[in-house]
Amino acid sequence: KKKTVSFSSMPNDRKINSTAACISLMLEGCELKKVRSNSRMYSRFFVLDADMRSVRWEPSKKDSEKAKIEIKSVKEVRVGKKTPVLRSNGLSDQFPDECAFSIIYGDNYESLDLVASSADVVSAWVMGLRYLVSYGKHSPEAPGTGHPSLRTSWISSVFDLADLEKSGRIPVSRAVQLIKALNPGMKTSTIELKFKELQKASERPGTEVVCELFVEAYCELCTRPEIFFLLVQFSSNKEYLGVKDLLMFLEVEQGMEGVTEEKCLEIVSKYEPSKEGREKGYLAIDGFTRYLLSADCSIFDPQHRKVCQDMAQPLSHYYISSAHSACLLEDNFWGRSDITGYISALGLGCRSIELVLWDGPEGEPVVYTSPSAASCVPFRAVVGLIDQHAFTASAYPLILCLVVRCSAPQQRLAAQCLRKTLGEKLYLEPPNPVASYLPSPEELKGRILIKGKKLPPTCEDSEGEVSDEEEGWELARRLGQEDREAPEGGGLRRVRLSRELSELVSLCQAVPFQDFESSRRGQRYWEMCSFSEVEAGRFANECPAELVSYNKRFLSRIYPSPMRIDASNMNPQDFWKCGCQMVAMNYQTPGLMMDLNSGWFRQNGACGYVLRPAIMREEVSYFSANAKDSLPGVPAQLLHLKVISGQNLPKPKGSGAKGEVVEPYVCAEIHGIPADCAEHRTKTALQSGDNPIFDESLEFQINLPELAVLRFVVLDDDYIGDEFIAQYTIPFECLQPGYRHVPLQSLAGEPLPHATLFVHVAITDRRGGGKGHRRGLAGRRGRRVREYTSTKATGIKAIDEVFRTATQPLREATDLRENVQNALVSFKELCGLTPAANMKQCILTVSTWLLHSDSTPSVTLNLAEQYPPMEAQGPIPDLLRKVLTAYETMIQTSRTLIESADAVYGKLIQAQQAGMDFHKELHRIETKEGLRGRKLQKALESFAWNITVLKGQADLLKHAKAEALDNLWQIHNAGQSCGIGRNGSASPEPSRLQAPLEPIPE
């Protein structure tokens, strides 16, 4: 009876941690499903011949000599559904992408398409085949024989150092500590168990281990198959990465620019543990793993670790990190006040803190969050603390929101305390009456602003009456502490305010909100309104465009509903999407909402200020916060996320009754405008220990990237009491492409030592219209009707005529971009790559096929030309012919785009500027045309839509041209480095390629 490997999954003890293990599995053989061009699948037994020269399968109708593929004829091994057969709609949903692979072989580039039972089996076959294709029988180290590898020598040298007695053996306890030190995060029990297994298998039980057994234990415990697989993909000798291999990996896969061999040597010397590797410039599996786990390879873009946004815009153009009840440690009802809450919030970059002042028992004001609080904090102590910590985490302005609930004499003491303690930091200059907007965070660096009520200019007494805010009274009423009656008729409550406190308020004067029209006509830029969560939520749902428009000039602060007596948090995204700057959060309450807030404010050096999207800042722009699809003028993007594996996952904190084993799965969530909110989860990794393999691809369409946040949540499927394992939240704009580790955090946002997710990130422009699609793109190319963005009629003849001139340029801009996009996708698919691949990867793939041919390259790139043609030297196979045709189409469409972009861009900008000339006259023209009510609203919306569309489409065209030029640069670069380029200089001339960018003005 034929011996087969189980078709359910790879045996748990069969860990693929070397090329030898892959080839050993192939020599034993296993069952795979063979896919035919008619979309039928047949189970066959595949095996590698003992002489390692060919792969056979049986049963087969062909004779045994034909049911085989010779290794020397293999051109390429592809992972995933990367051939027309595997992409066909009949099969696409029957098996996951990671279980498919294809062998491209023979002079006609035929494909043998296979489906395995699991991603592990695919990895083993692909790794083994790639090794054999590179080396055949003449490998520098035949599997399992020959000289010790770089890695084995290093592990042996570590053992020798630990062998203090030089007896050739060390105690098991010392061996366990040694492996734990080399692989932090690994459980002691896991290591001890592995030694017991190996001692039993080698029939050498006892309290000591020999070097050979130590090396075996280390390799089995510390080799991550998914990283080994990656190393083999890029390594030219399949055991380690040389400097050129590493450079290729960093440029092609990690998207790094300007990488030099010197930089690669720095990485080797920093992360390679073996002395020999460091001396020779080799990065073996352990060094590569260390590098991928390091901060240098974090998913978070290091550019965002420091302030990287324009800080010279008006204050109203930023989201501002804001705290509500910062001194509370528990909930709003029974929580005790504690001074450390302020230190914590300020340390996290919070730039707006609420202080509720009450009459203190000893004649001095105190800070409570409600009169029921178990203890109170003297106001003087809080101000001293703020003075000390205000600018430790951020130099940008701090806003103190004073809610005054104390008597006028105690208000005077509070004002004196603020002046005396904060001194020069306090911003007291009166607003500039000529200006239209607030000063910028840059201008207000190091200053503290007071937000509060101000006495009217007509009041000359030492105190007077002002309208009160609802904030703070609702809870007092619930507690029976309300001693002031609301005015008859339900108007605004009045309170007494001292002149001293009033004079401290300058740029953040609190005023009651009436309606948007009143604000548009009468509100001054230094006046701001506070909205309850319920009121702001109503505006966000019923009139989001008006709320966005209001927030362009004025600051708005949103505070939580007083019904949240457990100090839970509202979703800040509900208000950020409408441009609300200050969404006050209960910093003391961990969970999803606080994760979103803290993750969001990390993107600008954690300085507490984040610049809002341009579409929310521009004076004339159309933005609907509740849009269900892409926005005019904002390029939608696709996030391709592959969740590969998890490392050192802890068990859920609250699952005390549960054993040590977790069965985790990962949820990836996108939070942003409603059109972007989505969630996908991986399958559950069963019985996987602490290091599960997920190997699952997820895809999201992001319509407003500047407002999107990605959150990873790891949960336990087999939980008792608590399912939460870990989370990590990151703004979309901070994602780094390539293979990255995600540093997981607890529910409270604290780092979990050594707990990570290993993922691959790729971001592409959405291809044409319609939603992002999970299926092969080739299948629907013919059926999709091209969507054109057009202008809308305002009902005002003169204005509509101006916008009508842009109809043709808008169509041309869309055609130029989409023709290039379609040609790019076709070319990438024929190369066996996904739409997320870059041009360098395409050229390298084609060159790999050619280099595996016996003849000299049959296709060359003529680098002497600005648009390098790919030329066939003599007859070539059908697949290569198709690749050449697709390449030619891509080059021609790119050329048309590059050469036509400036003229079309000019027409779009001209129409936009002509439209903007009407903007100042708009109200006069509306009156003249007799527009009012709904018609007037529609005309204003259409006008804003048209301006946004024209500017947005012009920007998209500019971006597409820059990308086309970058693709040309990548073609030159890859042609040089892979040997199929001819007539090229040492490097492409960036000046020649980038010169056409200049004529496009900002």
Side-chain angles (χ1 to χ4, degrees), residues 249-269:
F249 170 74
L250 296 176
E251 282 194 341
V252 169
E253 211 52 73
Q254 304 297 84
M256 286 171 68
E257 291 175 1
V259 188
T260 59
E261 292 198 1
E262 288 70 31
K263 171 69 181 166
C264 295
L265 284 169
E266 272 177 41
I267 290 170
V268 172
S269 64

Side-chain angles (χ1 to χ4, degrees), residues 197-417:
E197 277 177 22
L198 293 176
Q199 283 179 323
K200 189 178 177 185
S202 62
E203 297 177 353
R204 289 185 189 170
T207 55
E208 294 187 314
V209 295
V210 295
C211 183
E212 189 185 335
L213 195 124
F214 178 78
V215 170
E216 190 178 350
Y218 178 89
C219 288
E220 289 200 17
L221 287 165
C222 304
T223 308
R224 285 175 46 190
E226 72 277 25
I227 292 184
F228 187 74
F229 186 41
L230 192 57
L231 179 134
V232 169
Q233 250 180 295
F234 282 88
S235 165
S236 45
N237 85 332
K238 310 302 168 200
E239 291 293 344
Y240 53 77
L241 295 172
V243 169
K244 284 192 164 56
D245 301 332
L246 181 57
L247 192 141
M248 192 69 74
F249 170 74
L250 296 176
E251 282 194 341
V252 169
E253 211 52 73
Q254 304 297 84
M256 286 171 68
E257 291 175 1
V259 188
T260 59
E261 292 198 1
E262 288 70 31
K263 171 69 181 166
C264 295
L265 284 169
E266 272 177 41
I267 290 170
V268 172
S269 64
K270 188 174 177 183
Y271 295 105
E272 175 52 41
S274 72
K275 189 180 175 201
E276 185 190 349
R278 290 195 300 272
E279 285 171 356
K280 293 182 175 174
Y282 296 155
L283 196 63
I285 180 67
D286 299 286
F288 190 42
T289 306
R290 286 181 184 189
Y291 171 62
L292 288 172
L293 276 165
S294 74
D296 288 348
C297 240
S298 167
I299 191 168
F300 191 92
D301 186 339
Q303 287 185 339
H304 289 269
R305 293 193 194 283
K306 52 186 185 295
V307 175
C308 55
Q309 295 176 347
D310 175 8
M311 300 305 284
Q313 301 271 338
L315 210 57
S316 59
H317 285 184
Y318 298 84
Y319 296 111
I320 303 169
S321 181
S322 306
H324 177 71
S325 314
C327 63
L328 271 192
L329 291 186
E330 292 159 30
D331 61 47
N332 280 338
F333 231 166
W334 312 113
R336 65 188 192 282
S337 299
D338 185 297
I339 212 153
T340 57
Y342 292 106
I343 302 175
S344 168
L346 290 168
L348 291 168
C350 176
R351 296 289 83 197
S352 165
I353 282 181
E354 177 196 45
L355 300 174
V356 187
L357 274 62
W358 298 83
D359 278 333
E362 295 171 16
E364 281 204 28
V366 292
V367 172
Y368 288 108
T369 44
S370 80
S372 77
S375 61
C376 61
V377 184
F379 180 67
R380 190 179 297 280
V382 174
V383 176
L385 200 74
I386 288 170
D387 179 53
Q388 200 179 338
H389 296 277
F391 301 107
T392 48
S394 168
Y396 292 100
L398 174 67
I399 302 170
L400 297 183
C401 302
L402 297 188
V403 181
V404 179
R405 298 280 172 261
C406 60
S407 60
Q410 293 208 11
Q411 289 176 30
R412 290 189 193 99
L413 289 173
Q416 288 163 18
C417 170

